[in-house]
Amino acid sequence: MSVVENYGSLVFNDRVMKNKLPKDIYKALRKTIDQNTHLELEVANAVAVAMKEWAVDNGATHYTHWFQPMTGTTAEKHDSFISPTSEGEIQMEFSGKELVKGEPDASSFPSGGIRATFEARGYTAWDPTSPAFIKDKTLYIPTAFCSYSGEALDKKTPLLRSMQALSESAVRVLHGLGNTEVTGVLTTVGPEQEYFLIDKEDYKKRMDLIFTGRTLLGAMPPKGQEMEDHYFGTLKPRVAAFMHELDEELWKLGVPAKTKHNEVAPCQHELAPVFDTTNVAVDHNQLTMEIMKKVADKHGFVCLLHEKPFDGINGSGKHNNWSMTTNTGENLLEPGKTPAANIQFLVFLTAVIAAVDNYADLMRLSVASAGNDHRLGANEAPPAIISIFLGDELTKILEAIEKDELFQKQAKVTMDTGATVLPHFFKDTTDRNRTSPFAFTGNKFEFRSLGSSLSVAGPNIVLNTAVAEALDHIYEKIKDTAPEDLEQVVRELIRDAIIRHKRVLFNGNGYTDEWVEEAEKRGLYNYRSTPDALPVFIEKKNIDLFLKHQVYTESEIYSRYEILLEEYNKTLHIEAKTLMEMLQHQFLPALSAATDRYVTLAGKKQALSADISCKAELAQIRKLTAWLEDLTDKAEVLAADIEKAEAMEDELALAHFYQRTILTEMEEIRAVADQAETALPKDLLPYPTYADMLFYV
Ligand code: ADP
Ligand code: MG
């Protein structure tokens, strides 16, 4: 099969629909997909038949409603198409009702108290805007997951609601600006995904990686990432083979994997797809993470998606490239050749700036997790402070508007490499700023604070809703304006917004301490950890935002808040207990064994002749004993605090206790253990070291 034939071969995409569906049914379905109209059961029935036939022709025996519970992963329960006949045979059947609605027993998914367990029913509802696909002989139908009373138990439902909110607000503003052809606006997302690949055999020997996804102990090898020789480096054959198969698998599923390369840290890599509508991009990113793990396994690797698998080595993030596109095909964040004169662009740019400034706290919250706490602000990822990088040209345009001056466009500068054989090209007007959490990159914004394992639904729910709100404020100001006054009113509106929100604009280096101080002076939020950030969710201003745009109900917000807190606490509980186990079962016995070796050796030497020196052995014995005692004491303290945590009931207080006390104790233990590790004889090391894992793939 050629690459072109292979692409989307397992997807019930537009081409298949056109082929398989009667014309009127195809039209009705298209209308539902493109204009969000209600789908009639008779259409659903016809689609179900076509879907089943296509799926069976492609080897499928089962179907599943695929959904995204609040855990941030995906869930599925498979039913076969078989239906026994009276002749004792079977038929393959699939009805419109089965396509449209499912009823998984949902009592064990976290619901944060929304759905009392006696009402364990959850419903899945077909999302026709994300195409169905075949994986492992099963037809996967993307669905939303709700309770009996219609409350969202998942990440897709609020995402779709936020896209709808943004569309309505954006269309109103566009009409207000005279762009009346537009009837819908979609948000688009291209998520760049970072990951680590390590050898499966090493992984199996590390209890911490298995239980927590990150190493809790492990000394730095003599060489880390300081030579910067991995970034964009040559792909090793084993990694190249993995990436090749990954691309092929993703292409079959219609995921447009585009770019792949080695990242900064050893064994770290990145994959970026071509962007898509947000809803599809979210589904595809979930699939990408899953397929990465599966293909890695086939190649003898384990794919690590944790935000910080190795201390002292860069962690993994996910860049959420985001923009808005009209149904007439116009990217609303495309500045064009003369951005200063492009009123429509400036209005939408202003809306994004206002949204990020007003709801920076929610944006920070949307990327908060125990794993990501190890990255944000650690000089490898953006700081926890949310600010916007606009680049030189846009900054100058906004300054000119603010001061009511004329913007002088700089002549395009040709790039001269000094070598005549090389082609000449124009320089981009903005350089890149890798330290900014939210950067304008030509015709889209790149939200860079996301952790690698995060579902991209959450950050986009916040972004869409906050921008919808900003657009509503703009609409209020322009709706009663006469066409001849419009330009003046809009210019003033932009000016006001710049003055009000310029505190969130920052083009400098976000990794410096000066910025942290400066940001504090500007009154920007700086929530350093997840427990600090989470209460933001239930602040009145933020609840009001979600309620107004009908993205979350109040109980949906509280349930998510509770789930996030619980998830944080459970994660740290598992980490602390895993560290205790590694100490008790592996590390402390290894230290004792090493001590014993030197004691035995010294004894043998002495037995041989009293005048042979045991100085070296004694020095080792003293060092090892000191570490052993220190670690034993520290482990006792940690064990007592774990017990204390287990008895605590207030989840927020517990989260702070984990973050401030237990995590600190774990880090102190690690500092000692990592020092001791370097003194252990190789054969007594209880698990593969950083050097084994990071430099032998
Ligand atoms: P980087 O230099 O950060 O790697 P790229 O130019 O490679 O950036 O693009 C990164 C991602 O941005 C890709 O997934 C790309 O498809 C996506 N992207 C491009 N245009 C848009 C857009 N209008 N909306 C959303 N994502 C976009
Ligand atoms: Mg990027």
Side-chain angles (χ1 to χ4, degrees):
M1 228 193 260
S2 75
V3 174
V4 175
E5 283 165 343
N6 179 45
Y7 187 80
S9 58
L10 296 177
V11 183
F12 193 74
N13 54 22
D14 194 66
R15 181 169 41 87
V16 182
M17 286 188 229
K18 226 184 219 155
N19 277 340
K20 299 263 171 202
L21 294 171
K23 234 189 191 141
D24 53 328
I25 299 287
Y26 171 76
K27 266 195 185 154
L29 178 60
R30 247 339 324 158
K31 202 166 160 213
T32 297
I33 296 172
D34 298 333
Q35 297 168 29
N36 287 326
T37 52
H38 180 72
L39 190 89
E40 300 298 331
L41 186 61
E42 132 200 353
V43 177
N45 275 329
V47 176
V49 170
M51 236 187 219
K52 179 209 68 189
E53 275 176 12
W54 167 82
V56 171
D57 284 350
N58 283 283
T61 53
H62 289 68
Y63 71 92
T64 182
H65 276 200
W66 187 59
F67 58 102
Q68 300 172 21
M70 294 189 274
T71 51
T73 54
T74 58
E76 52 195 72
K77 179 185 102 185
H78 299 206
D79 277 300
S80 73
F81 291 121
I82 71 158
S83 161
T85 64
S86 52
E87 290 83 45
E89 294 176 347
I90 54 157
Q91 277 178 334
M92 300 297 253
E93 272 183 8
F94 187 49
S95 70
K97 239 172 79 187
E98 287 167 311
L99 166 63
V100 171
K101 194 181 96 178
E103 249 181 80
D105 174 16
S107 49
S108 296
F109 290 108
S111 69
I114 281 191
R115 189 202 41 224
T117 24
F118 62 83
E119 222 313 352
R121 265 184 201 186
Y123 292 88
T124 50
W126 179 34
D127 166 20
T129 62
S130 181
F133 55 91
I134 297 171
K135 190 165 70 71
D136 305 326
K137 299 192 173 192
T138 297
L139 171 67
Y140 279 72
I141 301 157
T143 57
F145 180 43
C146 304
S147 74
Y148 182 72
S149 50
E151 272 169 311
L153 296 171
D154 69 345
K155 303 217 167 212
K156 186 190 271 280
T157 310
L159 180 73
L160 291 172
R161 292 176 187 157
S162 75
M163 291 172 72
Q164 200 171 321
L166 183 129
S167 180
E168 283 162 14
S169 301
V171 168
R172 249 197 318 262
V173 167
L174 286 168
H175 287 190
L177 294 174
N179 190 346
T180 49
E181 264 169 54
V182 175
T183 56
V185 169
L186 280 169
T187 55
T188 49
V189 163
E192 302 164 59
Q193 176 74 48
E194 290 180 343
Y195 60 96
F196 278 86
L197 285 182
I198 64 161
D199 200 276
K200 204 196 299 184
E201 292 310 312
D202 289 336
Y203 173 86
K204 283 191 203 157
K205 294 180 195 132
R206 298 256 354 181
M207 205 189 282
D208 45 6
L209 285 178
I210 293 173
F211 290 134
T212 73
R214 73 180 182 105
T215 52
L216 302 172
L217 297 172
M220 278 296 282
K223 181 185 173 195
Q225 62 190 45
E226 61 275 64
M227 301 297 279
E228 299 178 332
D229 50 0
H230 194 254
Y231 191 52
F232 284 18
T234 321
L235 302 177
K236 292 191 179 144
R238 230 182 120 190
V239 173
F242 158 83
M243 286 181 171
H244 183 74
E245 188 171 342
L246 175 62
D247 278 343
E248 279 189 344
E249 289 302 311
L250 290 174
W251 289 339
K252 275 187 216 164
L253 295 169
V255 179
K258 171 91 174 161
T259 311
K260 53 186 179 186
H261 60 80
N262 285 347
E263 260 299 332
V264 175
C267 294
Q268 192 186 29
H269 315 280
E270 179 181 301
L271 179 146
V274 178
F275 70 95
D276 214 320
T277 62
T278 304
N279 181 31
V280 173
V282 169
D283 289 359
H284 280 174
N285 183 249
Q286 291 287 0
L287 266 180
T288 301
M289 292 193 283
E290 185 192 322
I291 304 289
M292 274 178 171
K293 289 188 179 157
K294 204 165 103 181
V295 175
D297 187 65
K298 264 180 82 179
H299 288 254
F301 290 126
V302 171
C303 171
L304 303 178
L305 290 173
H306 192 281
E307 283 74 17
K308 191 74 175 177
F310 304 100
D311 200 41
I313 303 264
N314 273 11
S316 299
K318 182 138 60 186
H319 290 175
N320 188 83
N321 294 273
W322 178 93
S323 191
M324 298 167 275
T325 306
T326 66
N327 64 327
T328 52
E330 196 180 352
N331 178 354
L332 292 169
L333 292 178
E334 171 60 59
K337 290 219 169 70
T338 50
N342 187 343
I343 286 289
Q344 183 179 295
F345 163 72
L346 289 174
V347 164
F348 280 86
L349 178 70
T350 306
V352 176
I353 294 171
V356 173
D357 187 28
N358 290 336
Y359 296 100
D361 52 346
L362 275 179
M363 289 183 59
R364 168 66 184 93
L365 162 83
S366 75
V367 298
S369 72
N372 215 19
D373 280 0
H374 298 287
R375 287 178 68 242
L376 297 184
N379 289 2
E380 56 167 72
I385 307 158
I386 303 287
S387 67
I388 303 177
F389 169 84
L390 285 182
D392 288 345
E393 183 169 15
L394 278 188
T395 302
K396 286 199 181 112
I397 291 172
L398 296 193
E399 275 169 9
I401 295 175
E402 183 191 341
K403 295 186 188 128
D404 212 6
E405 290 167 355
L406 204 65
F407 171 71
Q408 296 285 357
K409 195 174 168 61
Q410 286 171 320
K412 276 220 164 180
V413 187
T414 7
M415 181 108 170
D416 186 359
T417 56
T420 43
V421 291
L422 297 178
H424 286 198
F425 44 82
F426 287 120
K427 270 190 189 173
D428 281 331
T429 43
T430 60
D431 197 6
R432 291 281 165 128
N433 176 334
R434 292 278 165 205
T435 66
S436 174
F438 198 76
F440 186 74
T441 51
N443 60 3
K444 61 187 186 290
F445 275 98
E446 186 170 351
F447 187 15
R448 301 210 184 100
S449 309
L450 287 71
S452 47
S453 67
L454 189 74
S455 157
V456 292
N460 287 296
I461 292 170
V462 170
L463 203 47
N464 294 344
T465 314
V467 173
E469 175 65 12
L471 287 168
D472 283 0
H473 282 269
I474 290 173
Y475 181 69
E476 279 307 309
K477 298 210 176 110
I478 61 171
K479 67 174 184 201
D480 299 320
T481 309
E484 62 273 20
D485 300 333
L486 193 62
E487 179 151 354
Q488 188 52 34
V489 168
V490 168
R491 281 205 179 272
E492 271 163 30
L493 184 154
I494 295 172
R495 215 176 122 231
D496 281 355
I498 297 166
I499 294 170
R500 211 145 16 99
H501 298 296
K502 70 178 173 192
R503 63 173 191 163
V504 78
L505 303 177
F506 178 61
N507 284 347
N509 184 352
Y511 288 177
T512 61
D513 293 336
E514 290 80 50
W515 168 234
V516 177
E517 277 170 39
E518 164 75 16
E520 197 181 330
K521 276 192 212 132
R522 293 189 188 189
L524 301 182
Y525 301 106
N526 186 5
Y527 295 108
R528 284 168 198 275
S529 74
T530 298
D532 290 341
L534 285 185
V536 154
F537 216 159
I538 50 173
E539 270 174 29
K540 183 166 183 319
K541 103 175 196 313
N542 296 331
I543 295 181
D544 287 348
L545 171 79
F546 288 126
L547 289 183
K548 178 184 160 194
H549 293 275
Q550 299 183 349
V551 170
Y552 289 125
T553 64
E554 195 153 346
S555 67
E556 285 170 353
I557 293 174
Y558 274 93
S559 69
R560 276 158 184 77
Y561 167 69
E562 275 173 38
I563 288 171
L564 286 169
L565 261 180
E566 268 173 30
E567 195 178 85
Y568 179 84
N569 291 338
K570 282 180 191 161
T571 303
L572 271 108
H573 187 227
I574 294 171
E575 286 187 354
K577 285 208 312 189
T578 304
L579 179 60
M580 281 302 297
E581 246 188 76
M582 288 174 82
L583 285 176
Q584 306 293 9
H585 297 321
Q586 299 181 319
F587 201 79
L588 298 180
L591 278 182
S592 298
T595 315
D596 186 42
R597 182 174 294 179
Y598 292 114
V599 170
T600 309
L601 182 58
K604 281 185 183 163
K605 277 185 171 181
Q606 289 286 295
L608 204 60
S609 160
D611 60 0
I612 299 180
S613 162
C614 295
K615 204 171 141 202
E617 289 75 17
L618 285 174
Q620 292 287 359
I621 293 164
R622 282 202 187 90
K623 264 197 320 194
L624 290 165
T625 305
W627 282 321
L628 193 56
E629 284 175 358
D630 193 8
L631 285 173
T632 307
D633 290 346
K634 286 188 159 70
E636 250 174 58
V637 174
L638 178 61
D641 280 331
I642 293 175
E643 262 185 46
K644 206 161 142 193
E646 283 167 350
M648 282 171 77
E649 292 195 351
D650 178 334
E651 292 279 345
L652 184 59
L654 178 57
H656 283 299
F657 182 67
Y658 272 124
Q659 198 261 326
R660 289 178 195 150
T661 305
I662 294 207
L663 205 53
T664 310
E665 288 168 5
M666 289 173 65
E667 278 159 12
E668 284 167 3
I669 287 175
R670 177 178 192 146
V672 179
D674 287 359
Q675 224 186 338
E677 184 189 298
T678 57
L680 283 178
K682 181 87 185 154
D683 65 308
L684 292 180
L685 284 168
Y687 33 69
T689 62
Y690 272 29
D692 299 329
M693 289 186 283
L694 292 168
F695 291 95
Y696 287 88
V697 161

